[in-house]
Amino acid sequence: MNVHGIMLPASEQSERRRANPWTETFAWLRRRRMFMLIVVLPTLLVGSYFYLVASDQYESEAHFLVRSTHTAEAPAGIGMSQALSMVTGASSSQSEAMSVADYLTSHDAVATLRRDNDLVGRYHDRDADVFSRLRPSNPTPEYLLRYFQGVVKVNYNSETGITTLRVHSFRPQDSFAIARRLLELGELRVNMLNERSYHDAIDMSRRQLAKAETDLAAVQAQTTRFRQTRGDIDPKASGEAQIQLVSTLTGQLAAARAQLNAMGGMVNHGSPQYQALASRVSALQAQVAAQSGRLTNGNHAIATDISGYESLKLREQFLAKQYESAATALDRARETALRQQLYVVRIVDANLPVKALYPERGRIMLTMVLALLLTYSIGWLIVAGVREHAA
C-alpha cells in the first residue's frame, strides 16, 4: 500500500483549525461584506456619534394663547373644535396669534436676544459637541437666524388657537431663560399690535373731529368779525325791533293824519293848533321814511345784515352738528378699539428642565437601523433576482 503524505492524528487537525480564528472571522465578514457596509458600519458610526460625542440638550416648553377682549358668540351648527376656538377667542385673533408666532422666529426676535440675552454665547458653548454648537463665535445674522430656527420651534394650532413654544439648549438655565424672554417678547409684540390697531382705528375719527372743529372755529370768527363790522350783536333781533318801530311810527302817522284831517274841517289851516299837528305829521312821515329806509336801503340796511348774519348762523349750526357727530364717532371708535384689544394668556409657563431629552438617541437609532435593513433587503432582492435570471 502506497502512502502519499503524512497522516496526522484527528486531534491535531482540529487544533490547527482552532488556531486560525481570524481567518474564519475574515471569511465570515467577507461573505457578509455588503450587509456590514450597508447596515452595520453606518449604524456603528452614527451610534458612536450619538452615544459618545453628541451633547445632551434640554428642552423648555411653554403654551400661550392670544385672546381678544371681544369674543364673538358661537353660531349654531358648528363643530367642537370650532366651538372651542370661539370660546378661546382664537377665531377673532387668529391672524394676530400667527403673526406673534412668526415674530418669535424672526430677525427682530433673534437680534433682540443677541443684544440683550447673549444668544450667541449660550449656543457657542465649547463644552458642546462640535456638530451641535453654534459656529463661528460671531456669526452673521442670516446664519444665526437659521441656527436659531433649528433650536427654537413655535407651532400654532389653528383648531384651539394655542401656540406652543419649545427651546433647546445645552444647559437647562439657558433653555428656561430664552423661553421666558421669548414669552416677554411675544407680549410686547401684542402690546405693539394693540397700540397700532388703536391708533389706526381712531386716527381717522380724530382727523374728522379736528377738521370739524377748525371749520366751526372759522365760521364763529367770521360771525364775530361780522358783528364787529356791523356794530350789531344780533341783526335778526335788531331787524325785528326795527320793524316794530316802523310799525309803531306808521300807526302814529296814520292817527296824526286822521286827526289833522278832522281838525282841517273845523279850524283854520293857519291856526297854531293845525300847524303844530301838521308839523307832527311831517315829522312822523320823515321818521317812517328814515326807519323804513334803514330796513332795506343801502349796503348797511338791516335786511342785508340779516341775510349775511343768517347765512353765517346757518353754517355755524351745520358745522356744530358736524362737530357733534365727529365727537360721537370718535368716542365710538375709541370704545370699539378698546373692545378689540388683544392680550397674551400664558396657559403653561416656561419650565426649568431637569433631564436631557434630546437628542432622542433610541428613536433615531431604531429608525436608522430599520431604514438600513429595508434598504439592504431591497438591494438583496434585486441582486438575487438578477442572478436568477442570469443563471
Side-chain angles (χ1 to χ4, degrees), residues 109-120 137-141 144:
V110 172
T112 302
L113 290 172
R114 184 176 192 172
R115 183 185 63 245
D116 301 338
N117 299 88
D118 190 23
L119 180 65
V120 175
S137 60
N138 186 23
T140 62
L144 180 59

Side-chain angles (χ1 to χ4, degrees), residues 102-103 105-113 141-143 145-146 149:
D102 182 69
Y103 167 74
T105 55
S106 68
H107 275 292
D108 291 343
V110 172
T112 302
L113 290 172
E142 292 77 11
Y143 182 79
L145 174 64
R146 189 170 60 184
Q149 291 174 343

Side-chain angles (χ1 to χ4, degrees), residues 206-220 319 322-323 326:
R206 278 181 173 170
R207 287 195 292 271
Q208 291 178 350
L209 180 62
K211 183 177 184 304
E213 185 176 5
T214 302
D215 293 343
L216 181 59
V219 75
Q220 287 176 341
L319 292 175
Q322 193 174 42
Y323 176 81

Side-chain angles (χ1 to χ4, degrees), residues 27-28 34 68 78 201 294 327 348 373-374 376:
W28 185 85
M34 295 306 298
S68 171
I78 63 174
R294 190 181 173 194
V348 178
L373 286 174
L374 179 62
Y376 175 78

Side-chain angles (χ1 to χ4, degrees), residues 32-336:
R32 294 166 177 79
R33 59 183 179 279
M34 295 306 298
F35 180 80
M36 301 300 294
L37 289 175
I38 295 175
V39 178
V40 177
L41 183 60
T43 302
L44 290 176
L45 291 176
V46 175
S48 298
Y49 167 71
F50 278 109
Y51 285 97
L52 301 178
V53 179
S55 301
D56 290 340
Q57 296 185 21
Y58 298 84
E59 180 185 85
S60 181
E61 181 174 327
H63 298 174
F64 64 89
L65 185 69
V66 179
R67 290 196 61 184
S68 171
T69 54
H70 176 67
T71 303
E73 295 182 358
I78 63 174
M80 182 60 69
S81 60
Q82 288 82 1
L84 179 59
S85 299
M86 299 293 285
V87 170
T88 57
S91 59
S92 60
S93 57
Q94 181 175 1
S95 59
E96 288 79 4
M98 295 179 68
S99 68
V100 172
D102 182 69
Y103 167 74
L104 294 181
T105 55
S106 68
H107 275 292
D108 291 343
V110 172
T112 302
L113 290 172
R114 184 176 192 172
R115 183 185 63 245
D116 301 338
N117 299 88
D118 190 23
L119 180 65
V120 175
R122 293 177 188 273
Y123 285 101
H124 185 65
D125 188 353
R126 294 189 180 277
D127 293 335
D129 70 272
V130 68
F131 298 106
S132 300
R133 72 182 180 215
L134 175 63
R135 293 173 293 117
S137 60
N138 186 23
T140 62
E142 292 77 11
Y143 182 79
L144 180 59
L145 174 64
R146 189 170 60 184
Y147 181 88
F148 181 80
Q149 291 174 343
V151 295
V152 174
K153 300 296 181 184
V154 183
N155 297 316
Y156 172 74
N157 189 325
S158 59
E159 293 289 330
T160 62
I162 296 175
T163 302
T164 302
L165 170 65
R166 294 185 176 90
V167 178
H168 291 187
S169 74
F170 305 113
R171 286 188 289 268
Q173 295 82 2
D174 291 343
S175 298
F176 177 71
I178 293 174
R180 289 292 300 268
R181 181 56 178 161
L182 285 173
L183 287 176
E184 294 174 359
L185 292 178
E187 292 173 345
L188 293 175
R189 185 68 176 179
V190 167
N191 292 337
M192 190 194 73
L193 291 175
N194 284 335
E195 184 177 358
R196 182 182 301 172
S197 175
Y198 179 81
H199 287 297
D200 290 345
I202 68 172
D203 277 353
M204 178 62 73
S205 298
R206 278 181 173 170
R207 287 195 292 271
Q208 291 178 350
L209 180 62
K211 183 177 184 304
E213 185 176 5
T214 302
D215 293 343
L216 181 59
V219 75
Q220 287 176 341
Q222 291 178 6
T223 303
T224 301
R225 286 196 299 272
F226 182 87
R227 286 169 172 166
Q228 292 173 346
T229 303
R230 300 294 180 174
D232 192 353
I233 297 297
D234 189 352
K236 183 179 180 181
S238 299
E240 292 175 353
Q242 187 68 21
I243 291 173
Q244 183 64 33
L245 176 60
V246 171
S247 178
T248 301
L249 291 174
T250 302
Q252 292 177 357
L253 177 60
R257 281 176 175 172
Q259 187 178 3
L260 182 63
N261 290 334
M263 185 180 291
M266 294 182 294
V267 299
N268 188 359
H269 288 188
S271 65
Q273 295 84 1
Y274 186 85
Q275 291 297 325
L277 185 57
S279 298
R280 185 169 184 271
V281 169
S282 297
L284 286 172
Q285 286 178 340
Q287 287 186 5
V288 169
Q291 298 300 329
S292 297
R294 190 181 173 194
L295 279 173
T296 56
N297 294 334
N299 294 331
H300 294 281
I302 293 177
T304 304
D305 293 349
I306 292 175
S307 175
Y309 181 76
E310 286 296 314
S311 176
L312 289 173
K313 292 299 292 183
L314 184 62
R315 189 178 177 190
E316 183 178 342
Q317 292 174 359
F318 172 76
L319 292 175
K321 290 182 179 179
Q322 193 174 42
Y323 176 81
E324 184 178 356
S325 299
T328 304
L330 177 60
D331 291 339
R332 191 181 301 113
R334 184 180 290 112
E335 182 181 353
T336 303

Side-chain angles (χ1 to χ4, degrees), residues 335-363:
E335 182 181 353
T336 303
L338 290 175
R339 193 167 58 247
Q340 293 177 346
Q341 292 286 288
L342 303 173
Y343 60 94
V344 173
V345 179
R346 295 189 184 187
I347 301 174
V348 178
D349 210 343
N351 66 303
L352 180 62
V354 176
K355 182 180 179 181
L357 300 178
Y358 296 90
E360 297 176 296
R361 297 179 175 87
R363 185 181 63 82

